[in-house]
């Protein structure tokens, strides 16, 4: 690059990093995870995982990004390659970061497009007079491309393309465009979240109706935060807590390193990392927890919430709940909620594009605009199947392989590179360089001796998940010679699509069998696309490495 690009201000950097972390996982995933895994007791493993894995890995990723940026490397393959002391394998480890970013962005843009559509429908009064079941049906029709939900033909496809164009345009403007988006988006996000949180706290029993006479928002809060301490001893709870920390902080994706690679060499990364991390935690634990579940409980009752608690609440019920606020406040409620999700989504989506743009600029000397628009085309090609075949499971396949497994794998490998290849002493020095706060030395030893092993345990748990997540029971069976029974959610069973095949064997309905067989075919199609994407990126990185070596010889 002719001129080294960097962040204009520390505030802009922190807000961009916080925007990268604050996303759908905060507002849609965390409340459900907490409710299903011990309520208030969930915070104990959650905070322990945050301290033992979240903060150490967050600091590692900031440090390795700034260190690589000093050498002019701004993409995950060559950031990790910098730590690997020239070992050829490390740049291909970094390919996981490019791969997961593109694949996640492909389906994440679809989620983002939902929020745009729902803002539009909320403001236009589409949901006015709809029952809760009709609102739920609207969502089902929306993701069924062949069913019209509005005056826009094929709305899901059109808004998806619009969303990709918007993301690509802002990304093409460089760090300045991302920073401006973060400075506008993050304050609005927090303002919208605060307004909805206040509503969640103040509904009480005012939403009770003849159909739901026992509706009470406080029941939702009790359901969410009433501690069930017996769950503390369930390994499933700890796995859920670790998974949520990864998801919410956007770790193991290569995003943080790439943002950090544009930091000035003496920037205080310790303060920046902790500040953006705690903004994320405040948004998740304090604000997000008092929005979806309490508001839903305040109008539909706690029994309905317990039966339907899940991701679908956001799109299948919230528009109905807002209609209970009256004709003036209902559109504002929709604007605030889905606008909040939009800003949470777009700030994260912009981060997904940074590793790709950084690699093409560094290694192929492409201009940022060209790099960004090529990414937009690539995301459309990879992502349009998630829109067209959403109900056939393509979306879920992308989320599992790119948005779940790849994250844990990259986090484990990059922690190994940081701790044992670069060396923890050098790494700790890099973390503290330019710091205005003194980090406790205990963090160094946690990062070195605890974090990598916990990451390994999480990965192994995903590979060998026991039947019904019963870890204690399967260990007893193993010691008594009865073997290790795998759950269908385990990596090994997922590869073989055991769950769908079992349902085929159990079904006697030829229509259901045909649907399940078709779903297996679409899942295989999605996996082939992802394999082609990963292989192509490996070849691209190989070519980039050759150009890298040639430039080193010349210089």
């Amino acid at each position: 690059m002719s001129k080294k690009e960097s962040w204009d201000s520390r505030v802009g950097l922190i807000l961009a990093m916080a925007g990268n972390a604050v996303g759908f996982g905060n507002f849609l995933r965390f409340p459900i995870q907490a409710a299903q895994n011990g309520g208030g007791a969930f915070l104990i493993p959650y905070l322990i995982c945050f301290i033992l894995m979240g903060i150490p890995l967050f600091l590692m990723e900031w440090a390795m990004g700034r260190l690589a940026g000093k050498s002019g490397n701004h993409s995950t393959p060559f950031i990790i390659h910098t730590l690997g002391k020239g070992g050829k394998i490390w740049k291909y480890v970094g390919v996981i970061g490019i791969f997961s970013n593109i694949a996640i962005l492909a389906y994440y843009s679809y989620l983002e497009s939902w929020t745009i559509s729902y803002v539009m429908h909320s403001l236009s009064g589409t949901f006015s007079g709809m029952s809760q079941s009709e609102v739920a049906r609207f969502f089902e029709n929306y993701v069924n491309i062949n069913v019209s939900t509005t005056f826009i033909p094929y709305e899901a496809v059109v808004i998806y393309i619009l969303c990709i164009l918007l993301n690509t345009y802002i990304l093409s403007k460089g760090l300045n465009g991302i920073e401006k988006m973060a400075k506008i988006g993050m304050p609005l996000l927090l303002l919208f979240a605060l307004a909805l949180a206040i509503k969640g706290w103040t509904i009480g029993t005012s939403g009770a109706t003849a159909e739901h006479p026992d509706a009470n928002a406080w029941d939702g809060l009790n359901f969410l935060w009433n501690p069930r301490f017996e769950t503390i001893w369930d390994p499933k709870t700890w796995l859920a807590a670790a998974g949520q920390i990864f998801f919410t902080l956007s770790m193991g994706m290569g995003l943080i390193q790439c943002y950090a690679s544009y930091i000035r060499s003496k920037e205080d990364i310790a303060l920046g990392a902790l500040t953006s991390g705690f903004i994320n935690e405040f948004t998740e634990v304090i604000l997000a927890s008092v929005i979806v579940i309490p508001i839903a409980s305040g109008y539909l009752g706690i029994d309905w919430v317990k039966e339907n608690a899940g991701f679908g609440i956001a799109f299948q019920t919230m528009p109905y709940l807002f209609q209970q606020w009256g004709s003036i406040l209902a559109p504002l409620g929709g604007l605030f909620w889905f606008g909040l999700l939009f800003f949470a989504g777009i700030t994260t989506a912009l981060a997904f594009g940074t590793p790709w743009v950084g690699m093409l600029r560094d290694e192929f000397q492409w201009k940022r605009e060209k790099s960004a628009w090529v990414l937009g085309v690539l995301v459309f090609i990879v992502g349009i199947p998630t829109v067209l075949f959403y109900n056939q499971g393509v979306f879920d396949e992308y989320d599992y392989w790119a948005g779940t497994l790849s994250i844990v794998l990259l986090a484990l490998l990059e922690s190994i590179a940081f701790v044992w290849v670069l060396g923890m002493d050098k790494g700790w020095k890099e973390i503290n360089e330019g710091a205005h706060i003194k980090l406790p030395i205990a963090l160094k030893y946690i990062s070195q001796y605890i974090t990598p092993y916990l990451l390994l345990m999480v990965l192994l748990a995903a590979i060998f998940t026991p039947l019904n997540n019963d870890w204690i029971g399967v260990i007893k069976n193993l010691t008594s010679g009865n073997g290790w029974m795998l759950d269908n959610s385990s990596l090994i069973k997922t590869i073989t699509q055991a769950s769908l095949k079992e349902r085929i064997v159990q079904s006697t309905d030829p229509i259901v069998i045909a649907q399940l067989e078709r779903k297996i075919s679409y899942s295989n199609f999605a996996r082939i696309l992802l394999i082609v994407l990963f292989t192509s990126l490996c070849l691209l990185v190989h070519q980039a490495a050759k150009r890298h070596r040639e430039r080193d010889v010349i210089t």
Side-chain angles (χ1 to χ4, degrees), residues 73 78 358-365 544 547-548 551:
N73 294 313
F78 293 95
M359 183 176 70
L360 292 186
R361 294 187 71 201
D362 289 352
E363 309 306 329
F364 296 93
Q365 285 73 55
R547 295 170 64 94
H548 204 94
R551 287 201 309 274

Side-chain angles (χ1 to χ4, degrees), residues 392-393 397 401 488 490-504 516-527:
Q392 285 74 34
E397 286 290 327
W401 297 105
N488 284 339
S490 67
L491 173 62
I492 295 174
K493 288 278 191 174
T494 300
I495 291 174
T496 62
Q497 300 190 352
S499 178
L500 291 175
K501 290 178 179 178
E502 282 184 11
R503 290 169 61 187
I504 290 175
L516 292 172
E517 289 176 342
R518 198 158 51 243
K519 193 166 186 177
I520 289 177
S521 298
Y522 279 107
S523 295
N524 290 332
F525 167 68
R527 293 178 184 187

Side-chain angles (χ1 to χ4, degrees), residues 197-332:
I198 291 172
K199 187 66 177 179
W201 278 106
T202 57
I203 288 175
T205 59
S206 62
T209 61
E211 187 178 359
H212 301 286
D214 298 325
N216 188 338
W218 290 102
D219 289 339
L221 289 168
N222 289 334
F223 170 60
L224 184 60
W225 292 124
N226 181 41
R228 301 186 296 280
F229 289 109
E230 67 275 9
T231 62
I232 291 294
W233 308 110
D234 188 347
K236 175 177 171 288
T237 301
W238 289 82
L239 288 174
Q244 180 61 26
I245 290 295
F246 275 98
F247 197 96
T248 191
L249 290 177
S250 298
M251 295 187 302
M253 301 181 187
L255 309 180
I256 296 169
Q257 302 96 309
C258 294
Y259 270 10
S261 68
Y262 294 99
I263 295 174
R264 296 179 178 89
S265 60
K266 298 297 182 181
E267 186 72 47
D268 184 352
I269 61 172
L271 180 62
L274 293 178
T275 302
S276 60
F278 280 107
I279 288 175
N280 176 79
E281 294 308 299
F282 170 80
T283 304
E284 180 161 286
V285 178
I286 305 300
L287 297 180
S289 64
V290 294
I291 297 177
V292 177
I293 289 181
I295 291 178
S297 179
Y299 289 102
L300 300 174
I302 189 61
D303 291 336
W304 186 94
V305 171
K306 288 180 178 179
E307 183 179 346
N308 296 278
F311 182 83
I313 284 183
F315 295 95
Q316 297 182 24
T317 65
M318 294 298 276
Y320 166 75
L321 303 181
F322 296 143
Q323 298 308 311
Q324 314 311 308
W325 297 2
S327 59
I328 296 177
L329 291 180
L332 290 178

Side-chain angles (χ1 to χ4, degrees), residues 51 153 165 170 173 447:
I51 293 170
L165 291 174
I170 298 174
K173 296 303 176 183
S447 302

Side-chain angles (χ1 to χ4, degrees), residues 65-78:
R66 185 179 66 177
L67 179 63
K70 295 175 183 177
S71 304
N73 294 313
H74 305 92
S75 63
T76 320
F78 293 95

Side-chain angles (χ1 to χ4, degrees), residues 441-463:
I441 193 65
L443 263 178
K444 175 183 179 181
Y445 298 107
I446 289 173
S447 302
Q448 185 171 6
Y449 297 112
I450 297 179
T451 303
Y453 294 104
L454 286 178
L455 289 168
L456 179 61
M457 289 174 60
V458 170
L459 182 61
L460 291 176
I463 296 173

